[in-house]
Amino acid sequence: QNEKALQDVVKQQEEKMLQLIDKSGEVMRLKTEVSELKRLLQRAETEVKVLREEMKGKEHQAYVQERVMLRWEIEKLRLLVVEKENENIRLTDKY
């Protein structure tokens, strides 16, 4: 009886360890994804800066439209970064 109970406890602990390993892998994957999103955000911000410099003295519609589209993309990337950071924090706090 005691041996059976001990085996059950050991099995439960093994399952918990495997779950933690899975969650650890997920956290690492999310950290990598956040890092990539930050890199993409930085790139988009740099592109916007270059476009702003090019726009000085120019009022071409195509430039304005592209600039607006880049701002939308930056905002989308910022939101993705925030979502991933929040998810990462949630997972880190949970485990």
Side-chain angles (χ1 to χ4, degrees), residues 10-26:
V10 169
K11 184 176 180 179
Q12 288 174 357
Q13 289 299 323
E14 287 175 350
E15 289 174 359
K16 286 180 183 178
M17 286 175 52
L18 289 175
Q19 289 174 352
L20 287 175
I21 290 169
D22 287 346
K23 295 300 178 184
S24 174
E26 178 69 9

Side-chain angles (χ1 to χ4, degrees), residues 6 10 14 18-19 21 25 28 32-33 37-38 43-45 57 65 67 69 75 80 87-90 93:
L6 183 58
V10 169
E14 287 175 350
L18 289 175
Q19 289 174 352
I21 290 169
M28 291 303 293
T32 301
E33 191 171 342
L37 287 171
K38 285 180 179 180
R43 180 178 173 190
E45 287 173 338
Q65 287 176 346
R67 190 170 152 193
M69 287 173 40
E75 189 59 31
L80 285 173
E87 186 176 350
N88 191 14
I89 290 169
R90 182 182 55 79
D93 289 345

Side-chain angles (χ1 to χ4, degrees), residues 39-56 62-78:
R39 187 189 67 75
L40 290 171
L41 176 60
Q42 185 67 35
R43 180 178 173 190
E45 287 173 338
T46 300
E47 289 175 4
V48 166
K49 187 176 179 179
V50 168
L51 283 174
R52 283 184 180 154
E53 290 172 5
E54 288 180 6
M55 285 299 298
K56 290 180 181 175
Y63 283 110
V64 173
Q65 287 176 346
E66 186 174 359
R67 190 170 152 193
V68 169
M69 287 173 40
L70 284 173
R71 284 187 181 183
W72 287 343
E73 287 300 318
I74 288 172
E75 189 59 31
K76 287 180 196 175
L77 289 171
R78 280 192 177 126

